[in-house]
Coordinates of all heavy atoms in Angstrom, one line a residue:
Q298 N 263.0 1.4 135.2 CA 263.7 0.2 134.8 C 265.1 0.5 134.3 O 266.1 -0.1 134.7 CB 263.0 -0.6 133.7 CG 263.7 -2.0 133.5 CD 262.9 -2.9 132.7 OE1 263.0 -2.9 131.4 NE2 262.1 -3.7 133.2
L301 N 267.1 1.3 137.3 CA 267.5 0.1 138.0 C 268.7 -0.6 137.3 O 269.7 -1.0 138.0 CB 266.3 -0.9 138.1 CG 266.4 -2.2 138.9 CD1 265.2 -2.5 139.6 CD2 266.8 -3.3 137.9
Y305 N 272.5 -1.3 138.9 CA 273.1 -2.6 139.0 C 274.3 -2.7 138.1 O 275.3 -3.5 138.4 CB 272.1 -3.8 138.8 CG 271.3 -4.0 140.0 CD1 270.0 -3.6 140.1 CD2 271.9 -4.5 141.2 CE1 269.2 -3.8 141.2 CE2 271.2 -4.7 142.4 CZ 269.8 -4.3 142.4 OH 269.1 -4.5 143.5
Y312 N 279.6 -6.4 143.6 CA 278.4 -6.9 144.2 C 278.7 -8.1 145.2 O 278.1 -8.1 146.3 CB 277.4 -7.4 143.1 CG 276.1 -7.9 143.7 CD1 275.1 -7.0 144.1 CD2 275.9 -9.2 143.9 CE1 273.9 -7.5 144.7 CE2 274.7 -9.7 144.5 CZ 273.7 -8.8 144.8 OH 272.6 -9.3 145.4
Y319 N 274.6 -6.6 153.0 CA 273.3 -6.4 152.5 C 272.2 -7.1 153.3 O 272.3 -8.3 153.5 CB 273.4 -7.0 151.1 CG 272.2 -7.0 150.2 CD1 271.8 -6.0 149.4 CD2 271.4 -8.2 150.2 CE1 270.7 -6.0 148.5 CE2 270.3 -8.2 149.3 CZ 270.0 -7.2 148.5 OH 268.9 -7.2 147.7
R330 N 269.4 -17.6 152.4 CA 269.6 -18.3 151.1 C 269.4 -19.8 151.2 O 268.8 -20.5 150.4 CB 270.9 -17.9 150.4 CG 271.1 -16.5 149.9 CD 272.4 -16.4 149.3 NE 272.7 -15.0 149.0 CZ 272.3 -14.3 147.9 NH1 271.6 -14.9 147.0 NH2 272.6 -13.0 147.8
A349 N 266.1 -13.5 138.3 CA 266.8 -12.3 138.8 C 268.1 -12.7 139.6 O 268.3 -12.3 140.7 CB 265.9 -11.3 139.5
C350 N 268.8 -13.6 138.9 CA 270.0 -14.3 139.6 C 271.1 -13.4 139.9 O 272.0 -13.8 140.7 CB 270.5 -15.4 138.7 SG 271.2 -14.8 137.1
G351 N 271.2 -12.2 139.3 CA 272.3 -11.3 139.6 C 273.6 -12.0 139.2 O 273.7 -12.5 138.1
L354 N 274.9 -15.7 143.0 CA 275.3 -16.1 144.4 C 274.6 -17.4 144.9 O 275.0 -18.0 145.8 CB 275.1 -14.9 145.4 CG 276.1 -13.8 145.3 CD1 275.7 -12.7 146.3 CD2 277.5 -14.3 145.8
N355 N 273.5 -17.7 144.2 CA 272.8 -19.0 144.6 C 273.3 -20.2 143.9 O 273.0 -21.3 144.3 CB 271.3 -18.9 144.3 CG 270.6 -17.8 145.1 OD1 271.0 -17.6 146.3 ND2 269.7 -17.1 144.5
D373 N 268.4 -12.7 134.3 CA 268.5 -11.3 134.8 C 268.4 -10.3 133.8 O 268.7 -10.5 132.6 CB 269.8 -11.2 135.6 CG 269.8 -10.1 136.7 OD1 269.9 -8.9 136.3 OD2 269.6 -10.4 137.8
L374 N 268.0 -9.1 134.2 CA 267.8 -7.9 133.4 C 269.0 -7.1 133.1 O 269.1 -6.5 132.1 CB 266.8 -7.0 134.1 CG 266.2 -5.8 133.5 CD1 265.4 -6.1 132.3 CD2 265.3 -5.0 134.5
T375 N 270.0 -7.2 134.0 CA 271.2 -6.4 133.9 C 272.4 -7.1 133.3 O 272.9 -8.1 133.9 CB 271.6 -5.8 135.3 OG1 270.4 -5.2 135.9 CG2 272.7 -4.8 135.2
M378 N 275.5 -7.7 135.6 CA 275.4 -8.7 136.6 C 275.5 -10.1 136.0 O 276.2 -10.9 136.6 CB 274.0 -8.5 137.3 CG 273.8 -7.3 138.1 SD 274.8 -7.1 139.5 CE 273.8 -7.9 140.8
A399 N 267.1 -11.3 130.3 CA 265.7 -11.0 130.0 C 265.0 -10.3 131.2 O 265.5 -10.4 132.4 CB 264.9 -12.3 129.8
D400 N 264.0 -9.6 130.9 CA 263.1 -9.0 132.0 C 262.2 -10.2 132.5 O 261.6 -10.9 131.7 CB 262.2 -7.9 131.3 CG 261.4 -7.2 132.3 OD1 261.2 -7.7 133.4 OD2 260.9 -6.1 131.9
A401 N 262.2 -10.3 133.8 CA 261.3 -11.3 134.4 C 259.9 -11.3 133.9 O 259.3 -12.3 133.7 CB 261.3 -11.2 135.9
T416 N 265.7 -14.6 144.8 CA 266.2 -14.1 146.1 C 266.5 -12.6 146.0 O 267.2 -12.2 145.1 CB 267.4 -14.9 146.6 OG1 268.5 -14.8 145.6 CG2 267.1 -16.3 146.9
Y417 N 266.0 -11.8 146.9 CA 266.3 -10.4 147.1 C 266.0 -9.6 145.8 O 266.8 -8.7 145.5 CB 267.7 -10.2 147.6 CG 268.0 -11.0 148.9 CD1 269.0 -12.0 148.9 CD2 267.3 -10.7 150.1 CE1 269.2 -12.7 150.0 CE2 267.6 -11.4 151.2 CZ 268.6 -12.4 151.2 OH 268.8 -13.1 152.3
A418 N 265.0 -10.0 145.0 CA 264.8 -9.3 143.8 C 263.4 -9.1 143.4 O 263.0 -8.1 142.8 CB 265.5 -10.1 142.6
Q421 N 261.4 -5.9 143.5 CA 261.8 -4.8 142.6 C 261.1 -4.9 141.3 O 261.3 -4.1 140.4 CB 263.3 -4.9 142.4 CG 264.1 -4.7 143.7 CD 265.6 -5.0 143.5 OE1 266.1 -5.0 142.3 NE2 266.3 -5.3 144.5
V422 N 260.4 -6.0 141.1 CA 259.7 -6.2 139.8 C 258.3 -5.8 139.9 O 257.5 -6.4 140.6 CB 259.8 -7.8 139.4 CG1 259.2 -8.0 138.1 CG2 261.3 -8.2 139.4
I464 N 267.7 -1.7 151.1 CA 268.0 -2.2 149.8 C 267.5 -1.4 148.7 O 268.2 -1.2 147.7 CB 267.5 -3.7 149.7 CG1 267.7 -4.2 148.3 CG2 266.0 -3.8 150.1 CD1 269.1 -4.2 147.8
Ligands
LIG766 C1 269.6 -7.3 144.8 S1 270.0 -8.1 143.3 C2 269.8 -9.8 143.8 C3 270.6 -10.7 142.9 C4 270.5 -12.2 143.3 N1 269.2 -12.8 143.2 C5 271.0 -12.4 144.7 O1 270.3 -13.0 145.5 O2 272.2 -12.0 145.0 C6 268.6 -7.8 142.3 C7 268.7 -8.3 140.9 O3 267.4 -8.3 140.3 C8 267.6 -8.0 138.9 N2 266.3 -7.5 138.4 C9 265.6 -6.5 138.9 N3 264.5 -6.3 138.2 C10 264.4 -7.4 137.3 C11 263.5 -7.8 136.3 N4 262.4 -7.1 136.0 N5 263.8 -8.9 135.5 C12 265.0 -9.6 135.8 N6 265.9 -9.2 136.7 C13 265.6 -8.1 137.4 C14 268.7 -6.9 138.9 O4 269.3 -6.8 137.7 C15 269.6 -7.5 140.0 O5 270.6 -8.3 139.4

Side-chain angles (χ1 to χ4, degrees):
Q298 189 170 88
L301 185 140
Y305 281 109
Y312 180 83
Y319 175 89
R330 287 182 191 277
C350 64
L354 282 175
N355 296 323
D373 204 279
L374 185 62
T375 307
M378 295 292 270
D400 184 343
T416 58
Y417 307 114
Q421 300 169 22
V422 179
I464 174 60

